[in-house]
Amino acid sequence: MAAKPTVLVVGSTGMLGAKIISALLDKGTTEVKAMVRSINDSDEENQKKIEAMKAQGATIVEGDLMKPETLLAICQGVDVVISSVGNNEVTVPGQKNLIDAAKQQGVKRFIPSDYSVDYRKLDYGDNDNLDKRKEVFEYLQQSGLEYTLILNGAFMDNVGTPYMPQFDFDNGNFQYWGDGETPLDFTTTDDTAKYVAEAVTDPGLANTALEVAGEVLTMKQLLAAYEEATGKKLQEKPLGSVEELKAWIEQKKPSAKSPVEYVPQQYEYTMVSSKAKLDNIQNSRYPNIKPLTVRQFLEKADI
Ligand SMILES: NC(=O)c1ccc[n+]([C@@H]2O[C@H](COP(=O)([O-])OP(=O)(O)OC[C@H]3O[C@@H](n4cnc5c(N)ncnc54)[C@H](OP(=O)(O)O)[C@@H]3O)[C@@H](O)[C@H]2O)c1
């Protein structure tokens, strides 16, 4: 019997990375190596995740994306690298280091940390975080490594976080830019992780993207799904046109003390403008996955 392919997950203590490891181990068709920054992590939550990964059958390896010398040995014997690092100063240089090490060690496929709208269709400047994805993807293409992108729209799990400013619970409002009628893509983090576990060795996904969405809803439908799931009411509050949103961002950005003051709106822009809409949703590729709708997700979520 042929040996199972080895998959290296980087960012494995992260919110999504830990779920990707679980999904890979549940599927059971790959050997899983989980890279962590410290095997004896002083962070209690991270340590719990590391122990759980070990118990589930992952091999834990220590490395740091900003220390390229640690990455070469880790990539040895690896078939697929999955990156799930967050958005920060490490995103671009760290993933470039990882691509270099993967290339040198003959890794077969690289999955960068995307898990987003289709940033390939955006222009630089549309979204600070997605600019980083564009830069890493360009570097990956130039490397000649085989790649698979995972594009899932917005995580439904963002409801109640600053990354979905539409839900203004403090003021009882549901606020949005645009006409409220544009289709938008949403997927849960759990379902995204399951799709990653399928995509990882799917030969049909060489040098292309897997586009998936738990549900495609307009802003008005998103509000209705929330109200139906929770039995709570929010006041619908249109904020202006897509052009006015773009102008709002341009005006806000120079004076912002933190990107969180305008990056959520940049994400909203990429969605309500349809500029980064997924146009090749392929859920049916894996009929074994039954992704949650927004309503199903919100019925279970504690929001
Ligand atoms: N579509 C959406 O709506 C949406 C929403 C949220 C996130 N995302 C995307 O999902 C992806 C994962 O995000 P996340 O929220 O899961 O990230 P996260 O929770 O912040 O996790 C980041 C991971 O990267 C690791 N890391 C950071 N610096 C490192 C370094 N120098 N060397 C090695 N590892 C390092 C962290 O390790 P430590 O634990 O040691 O710090 C952690 O495991 C990102 O691409 C993010 O943009 C998409």
Side-chain angles (χ1 to χ4, degrees):
M1 206 172 78
K4 289 180 184 177
T6 298
V7 177
L8 170 71
V9 181
V10 174
S12 51
T13 51
M15 177 277 298
L16 183 64
K19 293 184 181 202
I20 291 174
I21 303 248
S22 287
L24 286 166
L25 292 167
D26 282 349
K27 191 162 163 59
T29 50
T30 55
E31 296 292 343
V32 181
K33 255 174 140 178
M35 188 179 105
V36 300
R37 284 201 273 185
S38 169
I39 287 178
N40 297 304
D41 203 310
S42 53
D43 181 296
E44 215 174 291
E45 282 306 307
N46 274 1
Q47 198 55 40
K48 268 194 218 157
K49 286 184 187 170
I50 292 169
E51 294 310 324
M53 289 185 251
K54 254 198 268 182
Q56 270 185 288
T59 303
I60 313 296
V61 291
E62 216 171 59
D64 191 319
L65 287 169
M66 299 313 281
K67 296 181 185 150
E69 66 281 5
T70 62
L71 303 175
L72 259 190
I74 287 173
C75 286
Q76 195 173 13
V78 167
D79 295 291
V80 183
V81 170
I82 301 176
S83 173
S84 185
V85 293
N87 277 303
N88 51 39
E89 63 294 342
V90 168
T91 314
V92 174
Q95 289 196 94
K96 285 183 176 178
N97 288 338
L98 189 58
I99 290 167
D100 290 344
K103 171 88 180 160
Q104 242 177 291
Q105 293 291 19
V107 165
K108 294 188 188 75
R109 178 178 289 185
F110 192 99
I111 300 183
S113 192
D114 292 335
Y115 319 110
S116 63
V117 296
D118 192 350
Y119 62 87
R120 297 171 299 177
K121 301 193 291 186
L122 296 176
D123 294 305
Y124 276 106
D126 280 339
N127 180 300
D128 290 13
N129 286 351
L130 298 172
D131 282 355
K132 294 179 188 160
R133 315 280 219 292
K134 285 175 79 71
E135 194 179 338
V136 171
F137 180 44
E138 282 166 17
Y139 192 80
L140 181 54
Q141 284 177 298
Q142 282 158 16
S143 76
L145 273 174
E146 181 181 298
Y147 64 81
T148 301
L149 312 183
I150 309 295
L151 303 177
N152 51 262
F155 286 150
M156 295 177 194
D157 316 49
N158 290 342
V159 176
T161 77
Y163 279 84
M164 263 205 204
Q166 296 77 23
F167 292 90
D168 174 15
F169 294 125
D170 289 345
N171 298 301
N173 290 331
F174 180 81
Q175 53 193 12
Y176 59 85
W177 298 86
D179 62 6
E181 305 282 3
T182 307
L184 317 162
D185 307 305
F186 299 98
T187 311
T188 68
T189 52
D190 286 338
D191 289 328
T192 300
K194 288 182 200 164
Y195 283 116
V196 175
E198 296 291 338
V200 75
T201 54
D202 184 336
L205 292 177
N207 297 326
T208 187
L210 174 67
E211 300 180 30
V212 290
E215 195 169 21
V216 180
L217 290 180
T218 65
M219 285 292 184
K220 286 176 189 282
Q221 290 170 329
L222 177 62
L223 173 59
Y226 168 82
E227 292 186 339
E228 284 161 19
T230 64
K232 297 177 196 163
K233 288 269 168 221
L234 292 172
Q235 182 65 39
E236 189 177 334
K237 189 178 166 196
L239 294 172
S241 67
V242 175
E243 294 70 31
E244 285 167 320
L245 167 58
K246 188 76 173 160
W248 183 94
I249 294 165
E250 295 314 318
Q251 192 256 327
K252 186 82 183 170
K253 196 171 163 174
S255 61
K257 292 187 185 66
S258 152
V260 88
E261 288 178 37
Y262 64 90
V263 171
Q265 285 74 20
Q266 287 185 324
Y267 278 112
E268 184 165 354
Y269 169 73
T270 69
M271 295 178 77
V272 297
S273 66
S274 290
K275 199 168 171 181
K277 173 89 185 69
L278 304 181
D279 44 29
N280 183 26
I281 293 172
Q282 304 159 64
N283 294 7
S284 58
R285 193 174 182 90
Y286 309 112
N288 53 314
I289 301 177
K290 311 268 181 251
L292 292 188
T293 62
V294 170
R295 182 174 173 167
Q296 287 168 334
F297 171 74
L298 290 174
E299 276 168 356
K300 289 187 185 176
D302 184 20
I303 289 164

